[in-house]
Amino acid sequence: MLNNVRRSGRGVLVWGVVASALLTGLVWVLGQRLHGVSLLPDQGASWYYWKLPDPSFWTRASAWLGYAAHQVVSWGLIYYAQTRVRRYTTGLHRLNVVALAANGAFIGLHALQTQVFYDGLAQDVSIFSSQGSVVLLLVVVLLMENRRRGLVLTWSAPISAQVVGFARRYHGYLFSWAAIYTFWYHPMESTSGHLIGFFYMFLLLAQSSLMFTTAHTNRWWTLTLELLVAVHGTLVAVMNSGPNGIWPMFLFGFVAIFVLTQMHGVGLSTVARWWIGGTFVVAALAVYSWRGLGRIDEVVRIPLIEYLLVAVLALLIWAGVRLAALVRS
């Protein structure tokens, strides 16, 4: 079966989704052994609940060493791909098989580390660093795809080809960091929020393993990965704050980016896009008629933040590229 996938590439994404679902089920099974772990009371939005009250050197070191090894191996594989492979194929390169096996091994290592030591990176770093890493990933995608699908309603922001080229060349290192850092941030707990998050992380790890394959650049697949953050953010918000919480901000905020930007890059007809946009507006008005129209500004918060971050990131990359050019000259 693996040989068939390597030759043709057909179904590789399907197998990636199936494997991610099976791994998520394994996380749930192993998580049943963690119910006896004692944790401190929840202390608010900036508090990460799933960490030991009395961490030791080894609980910390096991998480950081596992993360560091996973990160170094991933970056090494990306560097090898960019310097030795450098061509796209419909099937899998040998390197892709190695990358999939390496990610699978580190997933197993993290599962074992959770069972023995429990703590993830959350013991030492802010919860906002984990959330921010995923946001940064999404912002870089918006920047890279600016010329192909536009930034807002097919309008392309005036971002230079040099900046976009830099982002495209080095995005793998950033995306690898975002996924692996977030993966090791959490212990492999079996709460609904953790399971949804780990499923998403497994998909991102699969995507990073498929570098220099046509599956890696499949537009519907990459769009799905972008959209899943709306599903994850909304469900976690409902679980944490209930039906009267801030879930509409996540749902309509991320779907607004889909309507304004993401849906314009997969070949949908003009009629289909009008229908999607109209459905979004009707749904938002319906929810906020119940929730209170005075809170409808929640819909624009996430899009405004992400588009502002695109501008800031583009300026930073441009300044960095210019400075490097001046130093070389």
Side-chain angles (χ1 to χ4, degrees):
M1 181 178 65
L2 179 59
N3 289 334
N4 290 335
V5 171
R6 288 186 62 182
R7 285 195 298 267
S8 68
R10 295 175 184 175
V12 64
L13 296 178
V14 174
W15 282 111
V17 173
V18 171
S20 297
L22 292 174
L23 287 169
T24 304
L26 181 61
V27 174
W28 178 81
V29 171
L30 293 176
Q32 308 311 306
R33 295 169 48 87
L34 302 174
H35 292 326
V37 176
S38 298
L39 304 171
L40 293 174
D42 195 351
Q43 300 178 29
S46 62
W47 175 261
Y48 187 76
Y49 177 73
W50 292 274
K51 57 184 180 180
L52 296 175
D54 298 305
S56 68
F57 169 81
W58 287 112
T59 59
R60 284 187 158 103
S62 63
W64 282 104
L65 289 173
Y67 159 70
H70 194 173
Q71 192 67 83
V72 169
V73 169
S74 177
W75 280 343
L77 290 170
I78 293 170
Y79 178 78
Y80 183 91
Q82 289 188 334
T83 55
R84 301 292 183 86
V85 179
R86 294 183 298 183
R87 64 180 180 84
Y88 279 82
T89 180
T90 55
L92 300 182
H93 299 285
R94 186 181 301 275
L95 178 70
N96 301 125
V97 178
V98 173
L100 289 165
N103 278 317
F106 280 111
I107 289 169
L109 177 63
H110 189 24
L112 177 62
Q113 182 266 337
T114 298
Q115 293 295 317
V116 177
F117 298 106
Y118 188 78
D119 262 343
L121 304 184
Q123 188 65 248
D124 299 307
V125 288
S126 167
I127 187 174
F128 299 116
S129 66
S130 174
Q131 297 169 349
S133 66
V134 177
V135 170
L136 183 59
L137 184 157
L138 296 171
V139 168
V140 173
V141 173
L142 291 177
L143 188 154
M144 289 195 307
E145 298 283 39
N146 173 59
R147 293 197 168 197
R148 185 179 67 85
R149 66 187 183 190
L151 192 61
V152 178
L153 297 176
T154 71
W155 171 80
S156 295
I159 301 173
S160 73
Q162 194 175 30
V163 169
V164 174
F166 180 91
R168 285 189 174 277
R169 178 168 179 79
Y170 295 107
H171 77 278
Y173 297 97
L174 175 65
F175 290 8
S176 169
W177 166 76
I180 293 173
Y181 176 79
T182 303
F183 173 66
W184 283 89
Y185 182 90
H186 306 275
M188 281 190 162
E189 272 281 4
S190 58
T191 70
S192 299
H194 281 87
L195 294 176
I196 296 168
F198 276 118
F199 178 67
Y200 189 27
M201 287 304 106
F202 294 148
L203 293 178
L204 291 178
L205 291 174
Q207 167 71 349
S208 70
S209 301
L210 298 176
M211 50 196 155
F212 287 101
T213 68
T214 53
H216 185 79
T217 56
N218 182 289
R219 298 306 180 192
W220 284 101
W221 166 248
T222 55
L223 175 62
T224 300
L225 293 177
E226 286 184 276
L227 268 178
L228 278 176
V229 72
V231 179
H232 176 256
T234 302
L235 291 177
V236 171
V238 171
M239 294 168 194
N240 289 341
S241 56
N244 295 318
I246 61 172
W247 64 267
M249 182 180 75
F250 292 97
L251 174 61
F252 292 109
F254 285 117
V255 175
I257 296 174
F258 168 73
V259 172
L260 292 172
T261 305
Q262 295 161 345
M263 74 174 180
H264 303 289
V266 289
L268 292 173
S269 68
T270 301
V271 172
R273 283 181 282 170
W274 272 105
W275 271 104
I276 293 170
T279 301
F280 168 78
V281 171
V282 170
L285 289 174
V287 169
Y288 280 95
S289 295
W290 156 71
R291 187 174 175 81
L293 290 175
R295 303 177 66 178
I296 201 169
D297 64 290
E298 292 176 347
V299 174
V300 301
R301 292 179 187 176
I302 289 176
L304 284 178
I305 291 171
E306 289 206 13
Y307 293 137
L308 177 61
L309 287 175
V310 170
V312 171
L313 183 62
L315 286 173
L316 289 175
I317 293 175
W318 175 83
V321 170
R322 294 290 296 173
L323 179 60
L326 289 174
V327 171
R328 286 196 300 270
S329 63

